[in-house]
Short mmCIF file of all heavy atoms in Angstrom, two decimals:
data_model
loop_
_atom_site.label_atom_id
_atom_site.label_comp_id
_atom_site.label_asym_id
_atom_site.label_seq_id
_atom_site.Cartn_x
_atom_site.Cartn_y
_atom_site.Cartn_z
N LYS A 153 -5.00 16.12 -0.61
CA LYS A 153 -6.43 16.08 -0.66
C LYS A 153 -6.97 16.52 0.71
O LYS A 153 -6.40 16.26 1.75
CB LYS A 153 -6.82 14.64 -0.86
CG LYS A 153 -8.30 14.37 -1.03
CD LYS A 153 -8.77 14.67 -2.54
CE LYS A 153 -10.26 14.67 -2.58
NZ LYS A 153 -10.84 15.72 -3.44
N PRO A 163 -14.88 6.84 2.66
CA PRO A 163 -15.16 5.58 1.96
C PRO A 163 -14.29 5.33 0.68
O PRO A 163 -13.90 4.16 0.44
CB PRO A 163 -16.62 5.74 1.54
CG PRO A 163 -17.16 6.79 2.52
CD PRO A 163 -16.02 7.68 2.88
N LEU A 164 -13.91 6.41 0.00
CA LEU A 164 -13.10 6.30 -1.17
C LEU A 164 -11.62 5.87 -0.77
O LEU A 164 -11.04 5.05 -1.47
CB LEU A 164 -12.89 7.66 -1.84
CG LEU A 164 -14.12 7.96 -2.73
CD1 LEU A 164 -13.99 9.38 -3.32
CD2 LEU A 164 -14.39 7.11 -3.82
N GLN A 167 -11.69 2.20 0.30
CA GLN A 167 -11.74 1.24 -0.84
C GLN A 167 -10.59 1.32 -1.69
O GLN A 167 -10.46 0.67 -2.76
CB GLN A 167 -12.99 1.58 -1.68
CG GLN A 167 -14.30 1.39 -1.03
CD GLN A 167 -14.93 0.03 -1.26
OE1 GLN A 167 -14.30 -0.78 -1.84
NE2 GLN A 167 -16.16 -0.15 -0.86
N ARG A 168 -9.61 2.18 -1.38
CA ARG A 168 -8.42 2.49 -2.16
C ARG A 168 -8.70 3.09 -3.53
O ARG A 168 -7.92 2.83 -4.45
CB ARG A 168 -7.50 1.18 -2.38
CG ARG A 168 -7.27 0.41 -1.07
CD ARG A 168 -6.09 0.87 -0.41
NE ARG A 168 -5.73 0.00 0.75
CZ ARG A 168 -6.20 0.11 1.96
NH1 ARG A 168 -6.98 1.14 2.30
NH2 ARG A 168 -5.73 -0.73 2.91
N LEU A 169 -9.85 3.62 -3.72
CA LEU A 169 -10.25 4.32 -4.92
C LEU A 169 -9.50 5.60 -5.04
O LEU A 169 -9.20 6.05 -6.18
CB LEU A 169 -11.76 4.38 -5.02
CG LEU A 169 -12.45 3.11 -5.34
CD1 LEU A 169 -13.99 3.30 -5.18
CD2 LEU A 169 -12.16 2.61 -6.73
N ALA A 170 -9.41 6.24 -3.93
CA ALA A 170 -8.53 7.49 -3.92
C ALA A 170 -7.27 7.19 -3.12
O ALA A 170 -7.27 6.55 -2.10
CB ALA A 170 -9.36 8.63 -3.28
N ARG A 171 -6.10 7.69 -3.71
CA ARG A 171 -4.90 7.38 -2.97
C ARG A 171 -3.94 8.68 -3.02
O ARG A 171 -3.05 8.80 -3.71
CB ARG A 171 -4.17 6.32 -3.84
CG ARG A 171 -4.90 4.99 -3.88
CD ARG A 171 -4.15 3.94 -4.70
NE ARG A 171 -4.20 4.30 -6.13
CZ ARG A 171 -5.21 4.02 -6.94
NH1 ARG A 171 -6.19 3.25 -6.52
NH2 ARG A 171 -5.22 4.41 -8.20
N ASP A 244 -20.46 15.18 -6.18
CA ASP A 244 -21.22 14.08 -6.60
C ASP A 244 -22.45 14.58 -7.43
O ASP A 244 -23.13 15.51 -6.93
CB ASP A 244 -21.72 13.31 -5.37
CG ASP A 244 -22.44 12.01 -5.79
OD1 ASP A 244 -23.14 11.95 -6.84
OD2 ASP A 244 -22.24 11.05 -5.03
N PRO A 245 -22.62 14.20 -8.72
CA PRO A 245 -23.69 14.84 -9.42
C PRO A 245 -25.10 14.57 -8.77
O PRO A 245 -26.00 15.25 -9.04
CB PRO A 245 -23.64 14.06 -10.75
CG PRO A 245 -22.70 12.98 -10.57
CD PRO A 245 -21.88 13.13 -9.39
N ALA A 246 -25.18 13.55 -7.89
CA ALA A 246 -26.49 13.35 -7.21
C ALA A 246 -26.54 14.09 -5.89
O ALA A 246 -27.43 13.88 -5.06
CB ALA A 246 -26.68 11.88 -7.06
N ASP A 279 -17.58 18.47 -14.09
CA ASP A 279 -17.80 17.12 -14.64
C ASP A 279 -18.11 16.26 -13.38
O ASP A 279 -18.14 16.70 -12.28
CB ASP A 279 -16.52 16.57 -15.34
CG ASP A 279 -16.84 15.60 -16.30
OD1 ASP A 279 -17.98 15.00 -16.28
OD2 ASP A 279 -16.02 15.23 -17.16
N PHE A 280 -18.28 14.94 -13.67
CA PHE A 280 -18.46 14.04 -12.53
C PHE A 280 -17.40 14.27 -11.52
O PHE A 280 -16.14 14.10 -11.87
CB PHE A 280 -18.45 12.62 -12.88
CG PHE A 280 -19.35 12.13 -14.01
CD1 PHE A 280 -19.06 12.06 -15.26
CD2 PHE A 280 -20.75 11.92 -13.60
CE1 PHE A 280 -19.98 11.64 -16.22
CE2 PHE A 280 -21.63 11.62 -14.56
CZ PHE A 280 -21.25 11.45 -15.90
N PHE A 281 -17.63 14.67 -10.23
CA PHE A 281 -16.66 14.73 -9.18
C PHE A 281 -15.50 15.82 -9.54
O PHE A 281 -14.47 15.71 -8.92
CB PHE A 281 -16.02 13.47 -8.82
CG PHE A 281 -17.03 12.41 -8.40
CD1 PHE A 281 -17.43 11.44 -9.20
CD2 PHE A 281 -17.40 12.50 -7.06
CE1 PHE A 281 -18.34 10.45 -8.71
CE2 PHE A 281 -18.36 11.54 -6.52
CZ PHE A 281 -18.82 10.59 -7.42
N GLU A 282 -15.79 16.68 -10.55
CA GLU A 282 -14.77 17.71 -10.86
C GLU A 282 -15.31 19.01 -10.74
O GLU A 282 -16.44 19.34 -11.17
CB GLU A 282 -14.35 17.54 -12.42
CG GLU A 282 -13.79 16.16 -12.77
CD GLU A 282 -12.39 16.07 -12.54
OE1 GLU A 282 -11.76 17.01 -12.08
OE2 GLU A 282 -11.67 14.96 -12.73
N THR A 317 -29.04 8.30 -2.14
CA THR A 317 -28.77 9.54 -3.02
C THR A 317 -29.99 9.69 -3.97
O THR A 317 -30.77 8.89 -4.25
CB THR A 317 -27.50 9.16 -3.82
OG1 THR A 317 -27.68 8.04 -4.57
CG2 THR A 317 -26.21 9.20 -3.11
N VAL A 383 -28.86 9.64 -18.36
CA VAL A 383 -28.32 8.29 -18.90
C VAL A 383 -28.92 7.17 -18.09
O VAL A 383 -29.22 7.28 -16.88
CB VAL A 383 -26.78 8.27 -18.67
CG1 VAL A 383 -26.21 6.96 -19.02
CG2 VAL A 383 -26.12 9.43 -19.44
N SER A 384 -29.18 6.06 -18.73
CA SER A 384 -29.71 4.95 -18.00
C SER A 384 -28.73 4.30 -16.96
O SER A 384 -27.54 4.30 -17.36
CB SER A 384 -30.03 3.78 -18.97
OG SER A 384 -31.12 4.16 -19.94
N ASP A 385 -29.13 3.97 -15.83
CA ASP A 385 -28.27 3.32 -14.88
C ASP A 385 -29.10 2.43 -13.95
O ASP A 385 -30.28 2.22 -14.20
CB ASP A 385 -27.32 4.26 -14.05
CG ASP A 385 -28.16 5.24 -13.23
OD1 ASP A 385 -29.29 4.89 -12.91
OD2 ASP A 385 -27.65 6.35 -12.93
N LEU A 386 -28.46 1.86 -12.89
CA LEU A 386 -29.15 0.97 -12.08
C LEU A 386 -30.41 1.64 -11.34
O LEU A 386 -31.37 1.01 -10.90
CB LEU A 386 -28.30 0.35 -10.94
CG LEU A 386 -27.32 -0.60 -11.36
CD1 LEU A 386 -26.50 -1.24 -10.35
CD2 LEU A 386 -27.99 -1.78 -12.19
N LYS B 331 -9.82 8.94 -15.07
CA LYS B 331 -9.78 9.80 -13.86
C LYS B 331 -11.12 10.38 -13.78
O LYS B 331 -11.58 11.01 -14.67
CB LYS B 331 -8.70 10.81 -13.93
CG LYS B 331 -8.59 11.72 -12.64
CD LYS B 331 -7.56 12.86 -12.79
CE LYS B 331 -7.60 13.68 -11.54
NZ LYS B 331 -8.85 14.42 -11.30
N ILE B 332 -11.80 10.13 -12.61
CA ILE B 332 -13.06 10.82 -12.33
C ILE B 332 -12.93 11.34 -10.90
O ILE B 332 -13.05 10.66 -9.90
CB ILE B 332 -14.26 9.71 -12.30
CG1 ILE B 332 -14.18 9.01 -13.72
CG2 ILE B 332 -15.49 10.40 -12.13
CD1 ILE B 332 -15.11 7.81 -13.72
N GLY B 333 -12.74 12.63 -10.84
CA GLY B 333 -12.50 13.25 -9.58
C GLY B 333 -11.40 12.72 -8.90
O GLY B 333 -10.21 12.53 -9.35
N PRO B 334 -11.55 12.26 -7.54
CA PRO B 334 -10.45 11.65 -6.70
C PRO B 334 -10.18 10.20 -7.19
O PRO B 334 -9.17 9.71 -6.71
CB PRO B 334 -10.98 11.74 -5.41
CG PRO B 334 -12.43 11.73 -5.45
CD PRO B 334 -12.82 12.41 -6.77
N ILE B 335 -11.08 9.60 -7.88
CA ILE B 335 -10.90 8.21 -8.32
C ILE B 335 -10.01 8.10 -9.51
O ILE B 335 -10.30 8.71 -10.60
CB ILE B 335 -12.22 7.51 -8.65
CG1 ILE B 335 -13.19 7.69 -7.35
CG2 ILE B 335 -12.04 6.07 -8.98
CD1 ILE B 335 -14.59 7.25 -7.67
N LYS B 336 -8.83 7.37 -9.40
CA LYS B 336 -7.97 7.21 -10.60
C LYS B 336 -7.84 5.70 -10.86
O LYS B 336 -7.60 4.96 -9.93
CB LYS B 336 -6.68 7.84 -10.31
CG LYS B 336 -6.66 9.33 -10.32
CD LYS B 336 -5.21 9.87 -9.91
CE LYS B 336 -5.47 11.38 -9.63
NZ LYS B 336 -4.49 11.80 -8.71
N ALA B 337 -7.95 5.35 -12.07
CA ALA B 337 -7.71 3.91 -12.45
C ALA B 337 -6.83 3.83 -13.66
O ALA B 337 -6.93 4.73 -14.60
CB ALA B 337 -9.02 3.23 -12.62
N PHE B 364 -4.41 -1.10 -9.90
CA PHE B 364 -4.45 -0.96 -8.38
C PHE B 364 -5.52 -1.87 -7.84
O PHE B 364 -5.95 -1.62 -6.69
CB PHE B 364 -4.76 0.47 -8.09
CG PHE B 364 -3.63 1.41 -8.53
CD1 PHE B 364 -3.77 2.18 -9.62
CD2 PHE B 364 -2.41 1.37 -7.87
CE1 PHE B 364 -2.80 3.12 -10.10
CE2 PHE B 364 -1.35 2.25 -8.31
CZ PHE B 364 -1.61 3.08 -9.43
N THR B 366 -8.64 -2.09 -8.33
CA THR B 366 -10.01 -1.59 -7.90
C THR B 366 -11.09 -2.10 -8.76
O THR B 366 -12.30 -1.91 -8.37
CB THR B 366 -10.07 0.02 -8.03
OG1 THR B 366 -9.67 0.35 -9.37
CG2 THR B 366 -9.02 0.67 -7.06
N LYS B 398 -14.52 -3.07 -6.99
CA LYS B 398 -14.91 -1.92 -6.22
C LYS B 398 -15.49 -0.74 -7.01
O LYS B 398 -16.26 -0.08 -6.53
CB LYS B 398 -13.56 -1.48 -5.41
CG LYS B 398 -13.14 -2.38 -4.33
CD LYS B 398 -11.97 -1.75 -3.71
CE LYS B 398 -11.11 -2.88 -3.05
NZ LYS B 398 -9.69 -2.42 -2.85
N ILE B 399 -14.79 -0.51 -8.19
CA ILE B 399 -15.30 0.67 -8.92
C ILE B 399 -16.72 0.45 -9.26
O ILE B 399 -17.54 1.40 -9.47
CB ILE B 399 -14.49 0.98 -10.21
CG1 ILE B 399 -14.33 -0.30 -11.15
CG2 ILE B 399 -13.16 1.59 -9.92
CD1 ILE B 399 -13.80 -0.06 -12.49
N PHE B 402 -18.96 0.90 -6.01
CA PHE B 402 -19.03 2.27 -5.50
C PHE B 402 -19.49 3.31 -6.55
O PHE B 402 -20.30 4.10 -6.34
CB PHE B 402 -17.59 2.68 -5.08
CG PHE B 402 -17.57 4.04 -4.41
CD1 PHE B 402 -17.84 4.08 -3.02
CD2 PHE B 402 -17.33 5.24 -5.08
CE1 PHE B 402 -17.92 5.25 -2.38
CE2 PHE B 402 -17.43 6.32 -4.36
CZ PHE B 402 -17.67 6.36 -3.01
N GLU B 404 -20.79 2.66 -9.92
CA GLU B 404 -21.41 2.11 -11.11
C GLU B 404 -22.02 3.19 -11.96
O GLU B 404 -21.77 3.30 -13.14
CB GLU B 404 -22.34 1.01 -10.68
CG GLU B 404 -22.79 0.13 -11.80
CD GLU B 404 -24.02 0.67 -12.51
OE1 GLU B 404 -24.75 1.60 -12.06
OE2 GLU B 404 -24.33 -0.01 -13.55
N ARG B 405 -22.92 4.00 -11.36
CA ARG B 405 -23.63 4.98 -12.19
C ARG B 405 -22.71 6.05 -12.80
O ARG B 405 -22.90 6.48 -13.90
CB ARG B 405 -24.69 5.71 -11.29
CG ARG B 405 -24.12 6.57 -10.26
CD ARG B 405 -25.15 7.09 -9.22
NE ARG B 405 -24.46 7.39 -7.99
CZ ARG B 405 -24.14 8.65 -7.64
NH1 ARG B 405 -24.54 9.59 -8.36
NH2 ARG B 405 -23.42 8.84 -6.52
N ILE B 406 -21.58 6.28 -12.08
CA ILE B 406 -20.60 7.23 -12.75
C ILE B 406 -19.85 6.60 -13.87
O ILE B 406 -19.65 7.24 -14.84
CB ILE B 406 -19.66 7.75 -11.65
CG1 ILE B 406 -20.38 8.13 -10.39
CG2 ILE B 406 -18.74 8.79 -12.15
CD1 ILE B 406 -21.32 9.36 -10.57
N ARG B 408 -20.64 4.17 -15.75
CA ARG B 408 -21.51 3.98 -16.95
C ARG B 408 -21.53 5.28 -17.80
O ARG B 408 -21.38 5.21 -18.94
CB ARG B 408 -23.00 3.64 -16.49
CG ARG B 408 -23.21 2.26 -16.27
CD ARG B 408 -24.59 2.23 -15.62
NE ARG B 408 -24.95 0.86 -15.25
CZ ARG B 408 -25.70 0.01 -15.92
NH1 ARG B 408 -26.35 0.44 -17.03
NH2 ARG B 408 -25.96 -1.21 -15.53
N ALA B 409 -21.83 6.39 -17.13
CA ALA B 409 -21.94 7.64 -17.82
C ALA B 409 -20.54 7.94 -18.49
O ALA B 409 -20.48 8.50 -19.56
CB ALA B 409 -22.45 8.79 -16.88
N LYS B 410 -19.45 7.69 -17.69
CA LYS B 410 -18.08 8.08 -18.18
C LYS B 410 -17.73 7.18 -19.43
O LYS B 410 -17.20 7.71 -20.38
CB LYS B 410 -17.11 7.68 -17.05
CG LYS B 410 -15.68 8.12 -17.27
CD LYS B 410 -15.52 9.60 -17.21
CE LYS B 410 -14.13 10.13 -17.54
NZ LYS B 410 -14.00 11.54 -17.56
N LYS B 412 -19.88 6.13 -21.64
CA LYS B 412 -20.60 6.71 -22.83
C LYS B 412 -19.81 7.93 -23.25
O LYS B 412 -19.77 8.17 -24.41
CB LYS B 412 -22.02 7.11 -22.31
CG LYS B 412 -22.94 5.95 -22.30
CD LYS B 412 -24.37 6.37 -22.72
CE LYS B 412 -25.25 5.11 -23.09
NZ LYS B 412 -26.51 5.40 -23.49
N GLU B 413 -19.35 8.71 -22.34
CA GLU B 413 -18.67 9.98 -22.74
C GLU B 413 -17.39 9.61 -23.44
O GLU B 413 -17.05 10.23 -24.48
CB GLU B 413 -18.29 10.70 -21.37
CG GLU B 413 -17.72 12.07 -21.56
CD GLU B 413 -17.21 12.64 -20.22
OE1 GLU B 413 -18.09 12.88 -19.46
OE2 GLU B 413 -16.01 12.71 -20.05
#
Side-chain angles (χ1 to χ4, degrees):
Chain A
K153 186 83 190 142
L164 285 177
Q167 298 268 9
R168 311 271 190 273
L169 286 167
R171 298 174 292 272
D244 186 327
D279 202 347
F280 301 103
F281 300 102
E282 301 273 0
T317 51
V383 177
S384 298
D385 60 24
L386 289 182
Chain B
K331 183 183 177 295
I332 306 171
I335 305 171
K336 287 174 195 156
F364 299 104
T366 56
K398 284 180 209 160
I399 52 167
F402 191 83
E404 194 269 351
R405 71 196 152 96
I406 309 299
R408 274 172 185 254
K410 187 75 182 176
K412 279 214 164 178
E413 187 189 295

